[in-house]
Amino acid sequence: MKKIILTLIMIAPTLMLNAQANQNSFLNNWTGPYGGVPAFTDYKLKDLKPALEFAIQEKLNEISRIANNPKPATFTNTIVASEKTGKRFSQINAVYGIYSSNMNSPEFEPIETEMTPKVYELNNKIYQNAKLFARISKVYNSPSTKKLTKEQQRLVWFHYSNFVREGAKATAKSKTRIATINQELAGLFTKFSQNQLADESNYYLELKSEADFDGLPDELKNAAISDAKDRKLSVMGCIANTRSSIEPFLTFSNRRDLREKAFQIFTSRGDNDNANNNNKILVQILKLRAEKAKLLGFKTFADWSLSNTMAQKPQKTLDLMMSVWTPAVEKVHADVADMQKMVDSEGGNFKIAAWDYRYYSEKVRKAKYDLDQNDLKPYLQLEKLREGMFWVAGEIFHLGFKQVSNVPVFHSDVRVWEVYNKDTKKLVGLWYFDPYARKGKRSGAWMNATREQSRVNGDVITIVSNNCNFIKGKDGEPILISWEDASTLFHEFGHALHGLNSNVTYPSLSGTNTPRDYVEFPSQVMERWLATPQVLNQFALHYKTGEPMPMSLVERNDKAATFNEAFSTVETIASALVDMKLHLLENPDIDPKQFEKETLDALKMPKEIVMRHRIPQFGHIFSDDAYAAGYYGYLWADAISADATEAFTETKDGLYDKVVAKRLHDYVFSIGNTIDPAIAYKKFRGRDVNTDALMRARGFEVQKK
């Protein structure tokens, strides 16, 4: 009788939810070509909340059936069955994430505030399901597991270790508190992100007269005029409070007073005296993380966070960061001295400040290398560079791209390409491109996997996207971008290629689902192809004449390749060091401003540079847990990518060596997390990583060991 009642209890919600599905387009399985795609043109925002609630309950029902299966636990009925759960939830949650990052709005915010904790609650209920963990443990400890394939053994380990890491072995009292903490964190993450987006949207620099445009390139000037019109402002122009607008302004504006205002607006995000101030929120986040780590048996959150990474221990990351920090700071001081000489020679009665650094760095670059970023920009057309990325993907990974119009998109700016293997003609995925800034879209650039590649339930192709914030200019004119932005474009495309090349069975191990300090390696190595003559000669074409970038300009750019590397190294590592030190605190009851100042003072941070992400706007570490105590991963992965690049450059064909490219595909881009990354890299390189390559790549002296 009990079994019948339990069955009815589980079936009744499903019947009720199925009735709802007929009236809610979010609940429909993705249909159409390519194994189904999101039906963006059918979705209504009012339906998103009930759809998520539906999908959450449906996944819990599926998990419950696995946990209560009366048959003995096996790899198939427990591990594989878990991989197959939550298809509808994955689809709706992926669209939910797109609304959050690409289409945020006042109407969406209350949905996000309410539903994000519920998504975290779902994870809590799964990880704290004692019956499910007992079945996973039986499979993990079974002698028969050794007979599974290496990928299957990795999957068993992945599920077991994640459950243990999330508290499956904790006491009942600790589990209850951990679940509460996770939900509280979810709400705080959402509020932090919403506050940051509000400051980015509500603050901007007004350009009121022609004099305020002094020094700006035409494309930046046109973008500022266009932005002011879009905001319906009565001024001539507007510099948006996003990195893609502020940094070019700081680089080219001849108006020191306006550079200072722009700098202050940008670096004060989340730190203004208004309702969007993030300081109290981030301290709450830190305290909850520290408490959670202790409940899970770790001394600090950093120790817990790194327990499933390549680095494993915080000290290893600190050692790497400090080995690069010292030579970088020394180089910054030398660079600032050169800038100060220029200020003095011009009769400027001031010391270089943070809002002067990019501006005078450009002047020094021009004086030393006869190279101005504006010399490069006419050759860096966004669409031509996109074609260049496709060409590189074809040369290295044999991928082809064909634009399609039969796929619904979430905004008119978005375009879609089908991606296929040029040798076999087999379709491998879809690539969505959302390149332009707009209101409600978070700043920066990122890759997103809307669906993971897998073969556990049929041959499922991946759906990935690249999202940027380039500023639209005049209608009909090409978008010209900086060399730095071009590098970012290639970087994010590297993440997309990591997903598109994935060739694994199980979605949990697919694509970019690797340890956090390894996932940036494929994207960072991809940046190296931008500067190759093969790309520049074919795709760095002048937007008016169509002529390729002159060899003299290419050579000057090559000579200046490591110029200003010290600046970018210091601003990034400063953020990574502060991140790690915040999460090494056992009692993080701090004043964020004071902590930031004292930490940077102890590091002897050059006063002419600020952290790339100041604490109150550090979305990487406070909008979720993904990069918390993990921002070091960019440097860690760059050490790997620099070493991997030398595997190519040691050959006569350089970055286009076919043999090395195949190894890169076979042991990096295609295997996801099916192999331990350290082992996989050794298979690619023939040895462990040599960090000397990182120093050479950044133009720093290799440290004696």
Side-chain angles (χ1 to χ4, degrees), residues 18 194 262 336 415 511 563 647 692:
N18 284 339
Q194 290 175 350
V336 169
R415 289 165 286 159
F563 177 78
D692 289 353

Side-chain angles (χ1 to χ4, degrees), residues 490-501:
F490 271 64
H491 174 103
E492 297 302 335
F493 189 59
H495 284 307
L497 291 176
H498 197 180
L500 290 165
N501 279 291

Side-chain angles (χ1 to χ4, degrees), residues 412-432:
S412 58
D413 286 344
V414 182
R415 289 165 286 159
V416 184
W417 281 259
E418 63 177 37
V419 188
Y420 56 92
N421 183 291
K422 292 199 298 184
D423 298 330
T424 65
K425 308 305 179 186
K426 180 184 177 183
L427 187 71
V428 299
L430 289 178
W431 184 70
Y432 290 56

